[in-house]
Amino acid sequence: MWYTCSMIVLRGYKTELDLNNAQKTACAKHAGAARYTFNWGLSRKIAAYQAGEKTPTAIDLHRALNALKKTEFAWMYAVSKCAPQEALRNLDQAFWHFFRRVKEKQAGKQVKAGFPQYKSKKDGLGSFRLTGAIHGYENAIQLPRLGRLRLKERGYLPVSGVHLLSATVSARGRRWFVSVPAEVEIPDPQEVGKPVVGLDLGITRLATLSDGSSIENPQVLKHALRKIKRLQRSVSRRQQGSANRRKAVDRLARTHLRVTNLRTDTLHQATSLLAKTKSAVVLEDLNVSGMLKNHHLAQAIADVGLYEFRRQLTYKAKWYGCQVWLAERAYPSTKRCSRCGQVKADMDLGQRRYVCDACGMLMDRDLNAAINLEQCWLRLELPRVPREVTPVERV
């Protein structure tokens, strides 16, 4: 199946804000208003359900909130009306996903219902979303009620000829970020001669390609785990509610944020390189959720980001004219000999070398699997392709 990108796609841009103290206070007020409104709306919905009444929608709750602003919620006049309004819309979405998962669970799927939970200050400053007149500049962004906020990264946000739909401001580790979805125009990919590769994802190496090259896995969580444990002990030893505990929590959050950023950067660079330089990439349809149930390897598997790798490669392939195919989970890419086709009955995870009992071939386990995936493409033995992806993909 050939993936083609649309001329207009919805793409997300996220970058860090460079705020002064007054702007940080204003953002914290907006985030607090959004959190309070979410919890208030959740209480109203639960109370209506317990009383046997019709559950109020986001529109109903917003009207009730506006009626109470002059008396009980006068402090909300200090923030934009969009922050509580969008929080109530998020609450409606949370309930919609809850009922969807309930139906899936009744149908036999192994999912958790996930009833919407109250938001707490202990989880961080939180986030809020704004709509309306939003304008991007080379080194700043203009937001309703907050004014022009400086960016730490210059020239990242789209400026000319782009309509910014909304802006979500979030905090993590005492650092503020803004995320904006924008409709951008992407030219049709040019059909040029590019090689086809099979790709085997792993833990020691992020990806092994059938041409012999590989992409290393930085294993950022493994290298930072000792520091994270030390910082976590520091948090647990501080008195709850004290300033020193808040400082320790911030140090721990910054470390987790660095781990996340390093992992995300590695995945983006790897998937962009593959989408730009290959005409087709063949992957295994891995059961990542099932693999995470192995408690001996769950932490290492989660540190790789296998599903995120596939998600990014799928939407980037449409942009650069690459095809992404999935081999069936039952396809024996690891047990099959790439030279003679002999399939082994079993192969332990500890066997890092593939030794064929029929022809005597000796090869790296991951490279042999990647070559089998490429041969699967060349023989057109792929039983199915990945699902259709909507034209709207978020980076």
Side-chain angles (χ1 to χ4, degrees), residues 275-309:
K276 291 179 180 179
T277 59
K278 309 302 179 184
S279 63
V281 179
V282 188
L283 302 171
E284 287 183 294
D285 186 15
L286 298 175
N287 182 15
V288 181
S289 59
M291 296 168 62
L292 291 175
K293 295 180 180 179
N294 184 347
H295 298 290
H296 297 285
L297 299 174
Q299 187 179 86
I301 294 173
D303 192 22
V304 177
L306 298 178
Y307 181 80
E308 180 66 14
F309 182 94

PDB file of all heavy atoms in Angstrom, residues 275-309:
ATOM      1  N   ALA A 275      12.588   7.652   7.054  1.00  0.00           N
ATOM      2  CA  ALA A 275      11.529   8.096   6.152  1.00  0.00           C
ATOM      3  C   ALA A 275      12.083   8.865   4.962  1.00  0.00           C
ATOM      4  O   ALA A 275      11.529   8.802   3.862  1.00  0.00           O
ATOM      5  CB  ALA A 275      10.527   8.959   6.914  1.00  0.00           C
ATOM      6  N   LYS A 276      13.189   9.575   5.150  1.00  0.00           N
ATOM      7  CA  LYS A 276      13.757  10.385   4.074  1.00  0.00           C
ATOM      8  C   LYS A 276      14.624   9.571   3.121  1.00  0.00           C
ATOM      9  O   LYS A 276      14.742   9.918   1.935  1.00  0.00           O
ATOM     10  CB  LYS A 276      14.584  11.527   4.665  1.00  0.00           C
ATOM     11  CG  LYS A 276      13.772  12.585   5.378  1.00  0.00           C
ATOM     12  CD  LYS A 276      14.685  13.656   5.958  1.00  0.00           C
ATOM     13  CE  LYS A 276      13.882  14.724   6.690  1.00  0.00           C
ATOM     14  NZ  LYS A 276      14.746  15.766   7.292  1.00  0.00           N
ATOM     15  N   THR A 277      15.257   8.506   3.607  1.00  0.00           N
ATOM     16  CA  THR A 277      16.253   7.801   2.806  1.00  0.00           C
ATOM     17  C   THR A 277      15.799   6.432   2.303  1.00  0.00           C
ATOM     18  O   THR A 277      16.516   5.822   1.525  1.00  0.00           O
ATOM     19  CB  THR A 277      17.545   7.615   3.625  1.00  0.00           C
ATOM     20  OG1 THR A 277      17.256   6.875   4.819  1.00  0.00           O
ATOM     21  CG2 THR A 277      18.133   8.972   4.003  1.00  0.00           C
ATOM     22  N   LYS A 278      14.616   5.938   2.729  1.00  0.00           N
ATOM     23  CA  LYS A 278      14.169   4.609   2.313  1.00  0.00           C
ATOM     24  C   LYS A 278      12.858   4.727   1.549  1.00  0.00           C
ATOM     25  O   LYS A 278      12.019   5.573   1.838  1.00  0.00           O
ATOM     26  CB  LYS A 278      13.979   3.685   3.528  1.00  0.00           C
ATOM     27  CG  LYS A 278      15.171   3.645   4.481  1.00  0.00           C
ATOM     28  CD  LYS A 278      16.452   3.207   3.803  1.00  0.00           C
ATOM     29  CE  LYS A 278      17.610   3.218   4.802  1.00  0.00           C
ATOM     30  NZ  LYS A 278      18.904   2.891   4.140  1.00  0.00           N
ATOM     31  N   SER A 279      12.705   3.851   0.566  1.00  0.00           N
ATOM     32  CA  SER A 279      11.443   3.812  -0.183  1.00  0.00           C
ATOM     33  C   SER A 279      10.404   2.935   0.509  1.00  0.00           C
ATOM     34  O   SER A 279       9.205   3.130   0.315  1.00  0.00           O
ATOM     35  CB  SER A 279      11.688   3.287  -1.598  1.00  0.00           C
ATOM     36  OG  SER A 279      12.161   1.947  -1.552  1.00  0.00           O
ATOM     37  N   ALA A 280      10.850   1.968   1.320  1.00  0.00           N
ATOM     38  CA  ALA A 280       9.936   1.112   2.067  1.00  0.00           C
ATOM     39  C   ALA A 280      10.670   0.567   3.284  1.00  0.00           C
ATOM     40  O   ALA A 280      11.864   0.239   3.217  1.00  0.00           O
ATOM     41  CB  ALA A 280       9.407  -0.036   1.215  1.00  0.00           C
ATOM     42  N   VAL A 281       9.958   0.477   4.394  1.00  0.00           N
ATOM     43  CA  VAL A 281      10.490  -0.071   5.639  1.00  0.00           C
ATOM     44  C   VAL A 281       9.536  -1.149   6.105  1.00  0.00           C
ATOM     45  O   VAL A 281       8.323  -0.921   6.212  1.00  0.00           O
ATOM     46  CB  VAL A 281      10.645   1.019   6.717  1.00  0.00           C
ATOM     47  CG1 VAL A 281      11.188   0.409   8.009  1.00  0.00           C
ATOM     48  CG2 VAL A 281      11.548   2.137   6.232  1.00  0.00           C
ATOM     49  N   VAL A 282      10.066  -2.331   6.391  1.00  0.00           N
ATOM     50  CA  VAL A 282       9.266  -3.469   6.830  1.00  0.00           C
ATOM     51  C   VAL A 282       9.541  -3.700   8.313  1.00  0.00           C
ATOM     52  O   VAL A 282      10.682  -3.898   8.720  1.00  0.00           O
ATOM     53  CB  VAL A 282       9.592  -4.735   6.025  1.00  0.00           C
ATOM     54  CG1 VAL A 282       8.610  -5.841   6.376  1.00  0.00           C
ATOM     55  CG2 VAL A 282       9.576  -4.448   4.539  1.00  0.00           C
ATOM     56  N   LEU A 283       8.487  -3.671   9.114  1.00  0.00           N
ATOM     57  CA  LEU A 283       8.573  -3.850  10.559  1.00  0.00           C
ATOM     58  C   LEU A 283       7.790  -5.072  10.994  1.00  0.00           C
ATOM     59  O   LEU A 283       6.939  -5.579  10.263  1.00  0.00           O
ATOM     60  CB  LEU A 283       8.012  -2.625  11.296  1.00  0.00           C
ATOM     61  CG  LEU A 283       8.626  -1.256  11.017  1.00  0.00           C
ATOM     62  CD1 LEU A 283       7.789  -0.183  11.666  1.00  0.00           C
ATOM     63  CD2 LEU A 283      10.048  -1.194  11.537  1.00  0.00           C
ATOM     64  N   GLU A 284       8.096  -5.515  12.204  1.00  0.00           N
ATOM     65  CA  GLU A 284       7.285  -6.549  12.841  1.00  0.00           C
ATOM     66  C   GLU A 284       6.122  -5.901  13.578  1.00  0.00           C
ATOM     67  O   GLU A 284       6.263  -4.816  14.150  1.00  0.00           O
ATOM     68  CB  GLU A 284       8.125  -7.355  13.833  1.00  0.00           C
ATOM     69  CG  GLU A 284       9.104  -8.311  13.202  1.00  0.00           C
ATOM     70  CD  GLU A 284       9.838  -9.107  14.263  1.00  0.00           C
ATOM     71  OE1 GLU A 284      10.607  -8.504  15.019  1.00  0.00           O
ATOM     72  OE2 GLU A 284       9.629 -10.333  14.337  1.00  0.00           O
ATOM     73  N   ASP A 285       4.993  -6.553  13.585  1.00  0.00           N
ATOM     74  CA  ASP A 285       3.838  -6.089  14.338  1.00  0.00           C
ATOM     75  C   ASP A 285       3.983  -6.586  15.774  1.00  0.00           C
ATOM     76  O   ASP A 285       3.421  -7.611  16.160  1.00  0.00           O
ATOM     77  CB  ASP A 285       2.546  -6.596  13.696  1.00  0.00           C
ATOM     78  CG  ASP A 285       1.317  -6.017  14.364  1.00  0.00           C
ATOM     79  OD1 ASP A 285       1.476  -5.032  15.115  1.00  0.00           O
ATOM     80  OD2 ASP A 285       0.215  -6.544  14.147  1.00  0.00           O
ATOM     81  N   LEU A 286       4.744  -5.841  16.565  1.00  0.00           N
ATOM     82  CA  LEU A 286       5.070  -6.274  17.923  1.00  0.00           C
ATOM     83  C   LEU A 286       3.906  -6.033  18.874  1.00  0.00           C
ATOM     84  O   LEU A 286       3.215  -5.008  18.789  1.00  0.00           O
ATOM     85  CB  LEU A 286       6.306  -5.522  18.429  1.00  0.00           C
ATOM     86  CG  LEU A 286       7.603  -5.743  17.646  1.00  0.00           C
ATOM     87  CD1 LEU A 286       8.701  -4.839  18.197  1.00  0.00           C
ATOM     88  CD2 LEU A 286       8.035  -7.197  17.716  1.00  0.00           C
ATOM     89  N   ASN A 287       3.711  -6.956  19.782  1.00  0.00           N
ATOM     90  CA  ASN A 287       2.721  -6.810  20.846  1.00  0.00           C
ATOM     91  C   ASN A 287       3.418  -6.169  22.040  1.00  0.00           C
ATOM     92  O   ASN A 287       3.862  -6.842  22.973  1.00  0.00           O
ATOM     93  CB  ASN A 287       2.140  -8.178  21.219  1.00  0.00           C
ATOM     94  CG  ASN A 287       1.074  -8.084  22.285  1.00  0.00           C
ATOM     95  OD1 ASN A 287       0.564  -7.002  22.571  1.00  0.00           O
ATOM     96  ND2 ASN A 287       0.734  -9.208  22.897  1.00  0.00           N
ATOM     97  N   VAL A 288       3.526  -4.833  21.999  1.00  0.00           N
ATOM     98  CA  VAL A 288       4.310  -4.123  23.012  1.00  0.00           C
ATOM     99  C   VAL A 288       3.686  -4.268  24.390  1.00  0.00           C
ATOM    100  O   VAL A 288       4.392  -4.473  25.388  1.00  0.00           O
ATOM    101  CB  VAL A 288       4.434  -2.636  22.617  1.00  0.00           C
ATOM    102  CG1 VAL A 288       5.265  -1.893  23.652  1.00  0.00           C
ATOM    103  CG2 VAL A 288       5.067  -2.507  21.243  1.00  0.00           C
ATOM    104  N   SER A 289       2.357  -4.167  24.490  1.00  0.00           N
ATOM    105  CA  SER A 289       1.708  -4.296  25.794  1.00  0.00           C
ATOM    106  C   SER A 289       1.930  -5.684  26.389  1.00  0.00           C
ATOM    107  O   SER A 289       2.094  -5.828  27.609  1.00  0.00           O
ATOM    108  CB  SER A 289       0.214  -4.025  25.655  1.00  0.00           C
ATOM    109  OG  SER A 289      -0.386  -4.927  24.738  1.00  0.00           O
ATOM    110  N   GLY A 290       1.968  -6.706  25.548  1.00  0.00           N
ATOM    111  CA  GLY A 290       2.259  -8.046  26.042  1.00  0.00           C
ATOM    112  C   GLY A 290       3.705  -8.201  26.453  1.00  0.00           C
ATOM    113  O   GLY A 290       4.013  -8.891  27.447  1.00  0.00           O
ATOM    114  N   MET A 291       4.614  -7.552  25.725  1.00  0.00           N
ATOM    115  CA  MET A 291       6.035  -7.617  26.081  1.00  0.00           C
ATOM    116  C   MET A 291       6.300  -6.938  27.420  1.00  0.00           C
ATOM    117  O   MET A 291       7.195  -7.346  28.160  1.00  0.00           O
ATOM    118  CB  MET A 291       6.863  -6.967  24.974  1.00  0.00           C
ATOM    119  CG  MET A 291       6.784  -7.684  23.630  1.00  0.00           C
ATOM    120  SD  MET A 291       7.490  -6.720  22.276  1.00  0.00           S
ATOM    121  CE  MET A 291       9.192  -6.570  22.787  1.00  0.00           C
ATOM    122  N   LEU A 292       5.541  -5.893  27.742  1.00  0.00           N
ATOM    123  CA  LEU A 292       5.757  -5.188  29.002  1.00  0.00           C
ATOM    124  C   LEU A 292       5.341  -6.005  30.212  1.00  0.00           C
ATOM    125  O   LEU A 292       5.659  -5.631  31.349  1.00  0.00           O
ATOM    126  CB  LEU A 292       4.989  -3.862  28.979  1.00  0.00           C
ATOM    127  CG  LEU A 292       5.511  -2.796  28.007  1.00  0.00           C
ATOM    128  CD1 LEU A 292       4.588  -1.590  28.000  1.00  0.00           C
ATOM    129  CD2 LEU A 292       6.929  -2.366  28.380  1.00  0.00           C
ATOM    130  N   LYS A 293       4.629  -7.098  30.013  1.00  0.00           N
ATOM    131  CA  LYS A 293       4.240  -7.959  31.124  1.00  0.00           C
ATOM    132  C   LYS A 293       5.406  -8.816  31.611  1.00  0.00           C
ATOM    133  O   LYS A 293       5.305  -9.452  32.666  1.00  0.00           O
ATOM    134  CB  LYS A 293       3.070  -8.844  30.715  1.00  0.00           C
ATOM    135  CG  LYS A 293       1.792  -8.066  30.428  1.00  0.00           C
ATOM    136  CD  LYS A 293       0.648  -8.979  30.020  1.00  0.00           C
ATOM    137  CE  LYS A 293      -0.614  -8.182  29.744  1.00  0.00           C
ATOM    138  NZ  LYS A 293      -1.750  -9.041  29.317  1.00  0.00           N
ATOM    139  N   ASN A 294       6.482  -8.874  30.844  1.00  0.00           N
ATOM    140  CA  ASN A 294       7.692  -9.568  31.284  1.00  0.00           C
ATOM    141  C   ASN A 294       8.446  -8.639  32.228  1.00  0.00           C
ATOM    142  O   ASN A 294       9.104  -7.688  31.797  1.00  0.00           O
ATOM    143  CB  ASN A 294       8.562  -9.930  30.071  1.00  0.00           C
ATOM    144  CG  ASN A 294       9.782 -10.736  30.458  1.00  0.00           C
ATOM    145  OD1 ASN A 294      10.138 -10.845  31.635  1.00  0.00           O
ATOM    146  ND2 ASN A 294      10.441 -11.304  29.461  1.00  0.00           N
ATOM    147  N   HIS A 295       8.345  -8.890  33.525  1.00  0.00           N
ATOM    148  CA  HIS A 295       8.890  -7.964  34.517  1.00  0.00           C
ATOM    149  C   HIS A 295      10.419  -7.928  34.508  1.00  0.00           C
ATOM    150  O   HIS A 295      11.005  -7.011  35.085  1.00  0.00           O
ATOM    151  CB  HIS A 295       8.383  -8.327  35.915  1.00  0.00           C
ATOM    152  CG  HIS A 295       6.898  -8.228  36.052  1.00  0.00           C
ATOM    153  ND1 HIS A 295       6.233  -7.021  36.039  1.00  0.00           N
ATOM    154  CD2 HIS A 295       5.925  -9.176  36.170  1.00  0.00           C
ATOM    155  CE1 HIS A 295       4.927  -7.220  36.165  1.00  0.00           C
ATOM    156  NE2 HIS A 295       4.714  -8.530  36.245  1.00  0.00           N
ATOM    157  N   HIS A 296      11.052  -8.889  33.872  1.00  0.00           N
ATOM    158  CA  HIS A 296      12.515  -8.866  33.790  1.00  0.00           C
ATOM    159  C   HIS A 296      12.984  -7.881  32.728  1.00  0.00           C
ATOM    160  O   HIS A 296      14.102  -7.356  32.808  1.00  0.00           O
ATOM    161  CB  HIS A 296      13.046 -10.267  33.467  1.00  0.00           C
ATOM    162  CG  HIS A 296      12.743 -11.287  34.523  1.00  0.00           C
ATOM    163  ND1 HIS A 296      13.416 -11.342  35.720  1.00  0.00           N
ATOM    164  CD2 HIS A 296      11.819 -12.287  34.570  1.00  0.00           C
ATOM    165  CE1 HIS A 296      12.937 -12.328  36.469  1.00  0.00           C
ATOM    166  NE2 HIS A 296      11.960 -12.921  35.786  1.00  0.00           N
ATOM    167  N   LEU A 297      12.162  -7.620  31.721  1.00  0.00           N
ATOM    168  CA  LEU A 297      12.558  -6.752  30.615  1.00  0.00           C
ATOM    169  C   LEU A 297      11.649  -5.544  30.449  1.00  0.00           C
ATOM    170  O   LEU A 297      11.862  -4.751  29.528  1.00  0.00           O
ATOM    171  CB  LEU A 297      12.559  -7.548  29.297  1.00  0.00           C
ATOM    172  CG  LEU A 297      13.510  -8.738  29.216  1.00  0.00           C
ATOM    173  CD1 LEU A 297      13.287  -9.493  27.912  1.00  0.00           C
ATOM    174  CD2 LEU A 297      14.959  -8.268  29.305  1.00  0.00           C
ATOM    175  N   ALA A 298      10.659  -5.384  31.311  1.00  0.00           N
ATOM    176  CA  ALA A 298       9.672  -4.323  31.119  1.00  0.00           C
ATOM    177  C   ALA A 298      10.314  -2.943  31.140  1.00  0.00           C
ATOM    178  O   ALA A 298       9.997  -2.080  30.308  1.00  0.00           O
ATOM    179  CB  ALA A 298       8.591  -4.417  32.196  1.00  0.00           C
ATOM    180  N   GLN A 299      11.226  -2.708  32.071  1.00  0.00           N
ATOM    181  CA  GLN A 299      11.854  -1.391  32.167  1.00  0.00           C
ATOM    182  C   GLN A 299      12.699  -1.093  30.930  1.00  0.00           C
ATOM    183  O   GLN A 299      12.650   0.016  30.391  1.00  0.00           O
ATOM    184  CB  GLN A 299      12.719  -1.312  33.420  1.00  0.00           C
ATOM    185  CG  GLN A 299      13.283   0.070  33.700  1.00  0.00           C
ATOM    186  CD  GLN A 299      14.116   0.084  34.966  1.00  0.00           C
ATOM    187  OE1 GLN A 299      15.309  -0.208  34.947  1.00  0.00           O
ATOM    188  NE2 GLN A 299      13.474   0.421  36.079  1.00  0.00           N
ATOM    189  N   ALA A 300      13.454  -2.067  30.460  1.00  0.00           N
ATOM    190  CA  ALA A 300      14.287  -1.858  29.276  1.00  0.00           C
ATOM    191  C   ALA A 300      13.438  -1.657  28.023  1.00  0.00           C
ATOM    192  O   ALA A 300      13.757  -0.834  27.161  1.00  0.00           O
ATOM    193  CB  ALA A 300      15.234  -3.040  29.091  1.00  0.00           C
ATOM    194  N   ILE A 301      12.325  -2.388  27.916  1.00  0.00           N
ATOM    195  CA  ILE A 301      11.443  -2.243  26.756  1.00  0.00           C
ATOM    196  C   ILE A 301      10.772  -0.877  26.761  1.00  0.00           C
ATOM    197  O   ILE A 301      10.666  -0.210  25.716  1.00  0.00           O
ATOM    198  CB  ILE A 301      10.398  -3.370  26.744  1.00  0.00           C
ATOM    199  CG1 ILE A 301      11.084  -4.724  26.510  1.00  0.00           C
ATOM    200  CG2 ILE A 301       9.345  -3.132  25.677  1.00  0.00           C
ATOM    201  CD1 ILE A 301      10.158  -5.911  26.654  1.00  0.00           C
ATOM    202  N   ALA A 302      10.324  -0.429  27.937  1.00  0.00           N
ATOM    203  CA  ALA A 302       9.691   0.883  28.026  1.00  0.00           C
ATOM    204  C   ALA A 302      10.671   2.003  27.725  1.00  0.00           C
ATOM    205  O   ALA A 302      10.285   3.054  27.197  1.00  0.00           O
ATOM    206  CB  ALA A 302       9.078   1.073  29.410  1.00  0.00           C
ATOM    207  N   ASP A 303      11.950   1.790  28.042  1.00  0.00           N
ATOM    208  CA  ASP A 303      12.963   2.807  27.786  1.00  0.00           C
ATOM    209  C   ASP A 303      13.225   2.995  26.301  1.00  0.00           C
ATOM    210  O   ASP A 303      13.711   4.051  25.881  1.00  0.00           O
ATOM    211  CB  ASP A 303      14.259   2.427  28.514  1.00  0.00           C
ATOM    212  CG  ASP A 303      15.260   3.554  28.540  1.00  0.00           C
ATOM    213  OD1 ASP A 303      14.835   4.719  28.379  1.00  0.00           O
ATOM    214  OD2 ASP A 303      16.454   3.296  28.730  1.00  0.00           O
ATOM    215  N   VAL A 304      12.903   1.994  25.493  1.00  0.00           N
ATOM    216  CA  VAL A 304      13.150   2.090  24.045  1.00  0.00           C
ATOM    217  C   VAL A 304      12.087   2.952  23.367  1.00  0.00           C
ATOM    218  O   VAL A 304      12.395   3.804  22.536  1.00  0.00           O
ATOM    219  CB  VAL A 304      13.183   0.675  23.417  1.00  0.00           C
ATOM    220  CG1 VAL A 304      13.353   0.769  21.905  1.00  0.00           C
ATOM    221  CG2 VAL A 304      14.309  -0.133  24.020  1.00  0.00           C
ATOM    222  N   GLY A 305      10.830   2.749  23.714  1.00  0.00           N
ATOM    223  CA  GLY A 305       9.747   3.459  23.040  1.00  0.00           C
ATOM    224  C   GLY A 305       9.389   2.815  21.718  1.00  0.00           C
ATOM    225  O   GLY A 305       9.383   3.473  20.675  1.00  0.00           O
ATOM    226  N   LEU A 306       9.060   1.521  21.737  1.00  0.00           N
ATOM    227  CA  LEU A 306       8.817   0.779  20.496  1.00  0.00           C
ATOM    228  C   LEU A 306       7.581   1.293  19.754  1.00  0.00           C
ATOM    229  O   LEU A 306       7.614   1.486  18.537  1.00  0.00           O
ATOM    230  CB  LEU A 306       8.658  -0.710  20.819  1.00  0.00           C
ATOM    231  CG  LEU A 306       9.873  -1.397  21.450  1.00  0.00           C
ATOM    232  CD1 LEU A 306       9.555  -2.856  21.759  1.00  0.00           C
ATOM    233  CD2 LEU A 306      11.082  -1.313  20.530  1.00  0.00           C
ATOM    234  N   TYR A 307       6.491   1.505  20.478  1.00  0.00           N
ATOM    235  CA  TYR A 307       5.280   1.964  19.799  1.00  0.00           C
ATOM    236  C   TYR A 307       5.449   3.389  19.283  1.00  0.00           C
ATOM    237  O   TYR A 307       4.966   3.723  18.202  1.00  0.00           O
ATOM    238  CB  TYR A 307       4.081   1.888  20.736  1.00  0.00           C
ATOM    239  CG  TYR A 307       2.800   2.319  20.074  1.00  0.00           C
ATOM    240  CD1 TYR A 307       2.105   1.455  19.237  1.00  0.00           C
ATOM    241  CD2 TYR A 307       2.293   3.601  20.241  1.00  0.00           C
ATOM    242  CE1 TYR A 307       0.936   1.845  18.606  1.00  0.00           C
ATOM    243  CE2 TYR A 307       1.136   4.005  19.618  1.00  0.00           C
ATOM    244  CZ  TYR A 307       0.459   3.121  18.795  1.00  0.00           C
ATOM    245  OH  TYR A 307      -0.683   3.524  18.164  1.00  0.00           O
ATOM    246  N   GLU A 308       6.140   4.233  20.035  1.00  0.00           N
ATOM    247  CA  GLU A 308       6.366   5.604  19.577  1.00  0.00           C
ATOM    248  C   GLU A 308       7.223   5.625  18.315  1.00  0.00           C
ATOM    249  O   GLU A 308       7.005   6.458  17.423  1.00  0.00           O
ATOM    250  CB  GLU A 308       7.040   6.412  20.696  1.00  0.00           C
ATOM    251  CG  GLU A 308       7.326   7.858  20.344  1.00  0.00           C
ATOM    252  CD  GLU A 308       6.075   8.680  20.129  1.00  0.00           C
ATOM    253  OE1 GLU A 308       4.977   8.209  20.502  1.00  0.00           O
ATOM    254  OE2 GLU A 308       6.189   9.800  19.598  1.00  0.00           O
ATOM    255  N   PHE A 309       8.177   4.709  18.216  1.00  0.00           N
ATOM    256  CA  PHE A 309       8.995   4.596  17.004  1.00  0.00           C
ATOM    257  C   PHE A 309       8.103   4.284  15.805  1.00  0.00           C
ATOM    258  O   PHE A 309       8.226   4.922  14.746  1.00  0.00           O
ATOM    259  CB  PHE A 309      10.041   3.493  17.193  1.00  0.00           C
ATOM    260  CG  PHE A 309      10.971   3.331  16.029  1.00  0.00           C
ATOM    261  CD1 PHE A 309      12.193   3.979  16.000  1.00  0.00           C
ATOM    262  CD2 PHE A 309      10.633   2.518  14.954  1.00  0.00           C
ATOM    263  CE1 PHE A 309      13.061   3.833  14.923  1.00  0.00           C
ATOM    264  CE2 PHE A 309      11.488   2.366  13.880  1.00  0.00           C
ATOM    265  CZ  PHE A 309      12.698   3.020  13.862  1.00  0.00           C
TER     266      PHE A 309
END
